[in-house]
Amino acid sequence: MKLIHISDLHLGLILNGFDMKEDQQYILDQIIQIISGQNVDGVIIAGDIYDKSSPPAEAVSMFSRFLANISNMGKNIYMISGNHDSAERINYGKEVFCNSGVYISDLYNGHVEPVKAEDEFGSVNIYLLPFIKPALVRHAFPDKRIDNDTAALRTAVEAMNVDTSVRNILVTHQFVSGAAVCDSDCQMSLIVGTTEDVDAAVFAPFDYTALGHLHRPQNVGTDRIRYCGTPLKYSFSEADHQKSVTVVELGPKGDVHIETVPLKPLHDLVRISGDFETVFRPANYPDISPDDYIEVILNEENDIPDAITRLRSVYPNIMKLS
């Protein structure tokens, strides 16, 4: 079984005053091309589909077209809500959508029924666990002591009664201990602390854990626990990231192969630095396009009059000047 793993689309995002809808549509179209070219069986979307719980209509339409394109290719979709999403809005229509191979996480009530799939090696159980906090899990399990996120996830996983004799995938949206964070993870309403961390050991019953939440693509301890990262750079702390989609291929029980397919944005997010006269000449930065989204760091002791207006005459998409 071969699956594409993506997450944290943040559709509808306004970044430093720039509407990202054109960039997001461009990258979704590119992901569709990758899905087609990789001949996958399905697509995992691990939360934060939208940037806000009440997304703009254009973002909803964009995502609807994206789902329709995948479904029209005959690929299944396995998606959950993240902390930026409204679980109720994402969950809407799930009973109808599953008839088209679009499987959506339930509102969490303590019970997660796996989506069952088959291939030449047998059964695969795919568990869709939306973003959860301890208070939500305590409500479902009032007799359990749940005082941190690890205890909440452990309780939720134990309640799944996972059959480890077959292959199992968990799709979830949490912060796992040992993962690397960047500025945008904190800027986008993430609080990272000891009670927020989830011990990776709770994912032991699963052959692959498809994570959303953090923006840097990375494994956590093992390639079987993975953040695929955002498809676009959403802060200048991500300037050195190579964005990609993760391709997961499950063979017989115990055989999991991971690879990545790089994504190329419509506009890159880059930093350039130097004195004003150096920065003012794009030829001094041959590796970037003047149309990229740019943070300019001026190495000047004195203020440069009207610097950003002058720089925008050669770099129209400057987002930050410092």
Side-chain angles (χ1 to χ4, degrees):
M1 179 169 292
K2 195 174 186 182
L3 301 164
I4 291 279
H5 169 198
I6 59 174
S7 75
D8 296 86
L9 307 179
H10 289 284
L11 301 180
L13 174 69
I14 304 294
L15 182 62
N16 295 315
F18 285 71
D19 190 333
M20 299 296 288
K21 64 175 178 290
E22 185 181 7
D23 300 81
Q24 291 177 329
Q25 184 63 66
Y26 182 88
I27 214 69
L28 291 182
D29 290 343
Q30 195 173 138
I31 292 170
I32 290 293
Q33 293 173 4
I34 292 170
I35 292 167
S36 177
Q38 287 284 324
N39 193 29
V40 299
D41 300 292
V43 178
I44 291 169
I45 307 175
D48 279 1
I49 293 159
Y50 300 114
D51 190 56
K52 299 183 183 303
S53 59
S54 297
E58 286 180 327
V60 176
S61 296
M62 188 187 305
F63 187 60
S64 178
R65 291 192 300 271
F66 180 62
L67 293 184
N69 285 334
I70 298 172
S71 182
N72 289 340
M73 288 191 283
K75 315 299 184 185
N76 287 343
I77 299 164
Y78 309 96
M79 57 184 270
I80 64 169
S81 54
N83 60 304
H84 278 247
D85 299 314
S86 162
E88 291 81 4
R89 285 188 172 91
I90 297 298
N91 187 256
Y92 174 79
K94 69 179 295 295
E95 293 83 359
V96 176
F97 295 147
C98 68
N99 295 327
S100 299
V102 181
Y103 300 97
I104 306 172
S105 57
D106 282 314
L107 300 178
Y108 187 72
N109 61 3
H111 179 70
V112 178
E113 187 70 28
V115 179
K116 296 185 179 295
E118 295 281 339
D119 65 8
E120 64 268 33
F121 302 111
S123 299
V124 180
N125 293 327
I126 303 172
Y127 293 84
L128 304 178
L129 181 65
F131 178 74
I132 56 172
K133 297 298 292 175
L136 189 59
V137 183
R138 279 196 295 268
H139 182 75
F141 300 95
D143 297 333
K144 297 275 189 179
R145 179 178 177 179
I146 300 169
D147 51 12
N148 57 43
D149 283 42
T150 292
L153 265 290
R154 182 180 294 114
T155 299
V157 169
E158 288 174 351
M160 294 175 188
N161 296 314
V162 177
D163 178 2
T164 55
S165 68
V166 300
R167 294 165 298 164
N168 298 282
I169 294 173
L170 177 66
V171 184
T172 193
H173 192 93
Q174 300 290 151
F175 175 69
V176 180
S177 300
V181 299
C182 56
D183 289 350
S184 57
D185 294 320
C186 301
Q187 292 165 0
M188 299 177 91
S189 305
L190 261 176
I191 302 172
V192 177
T194 55
T195 62
E196 297 276 331
D197 301 1
V198 174
D199 189 333
V202 304
F203 305 125
F206 302 99
D207 297 84
Y208 182 71
T209 298
L211 292 166
H213 208 15
L214 299 188
H215 290 189
R216 181 187 294 274
Q218 60 188 294
N219 301 329
V220 186
T222 169
D223 60 4
R224 298 188 181 202
I225 303 174
R226 180 168 175 79
Y227 289 100
C228 59
T230 53
L232 290 170
K233 299 174 185 180
Y234 286 142
S235 85
F236 288 101
S237 66
E238 300 175 46
D240 63 343
H241 293 191
Q242 173 58 65
K243 299 301 184 179
S244 61
V245 299
T246 295
V247 183
V248 187
E249 191 162 7
L250 276 67
K253 178 71 175 178
D255 181 5
V256 180
H257 177 72
I258 307 295
E259 65 177 89
T260 59
V261 179
L263 293 167
K264 182 175 176 56
L266 181 62
H267 304 97
D268 203 357
L269 201 74
V270 298
R271 283 173 163 153
I272 61 174
S273 62
D275 60 55
F276 185 85
E277 292 304 320
T278 299
V279 169
F280 194 71
R281 292 174 172 79
N284 291 324
Y285 305 92
D287 295 334
I288 73 163
S289 165
D291 289 329
D292 284 340
Y293 296 128
I294 296 173
E295 177 183 22
V296 175
I297 302 170
L298 286 182
N299 299 325
E300 296 278 3
E301 292 186 5
N302 301 312
D303 288 340
I304 303 297
D306 207 21
I308 194 163
T309 300
R310 293 164 67 187
L311 287 169
R312 279 198 170 128
S313 70
V314 290
Y315 304 110
N317 293 325
I318 286 180
M319 284 187 168
K320 292 179 71 177
L321 173 65
S322 56

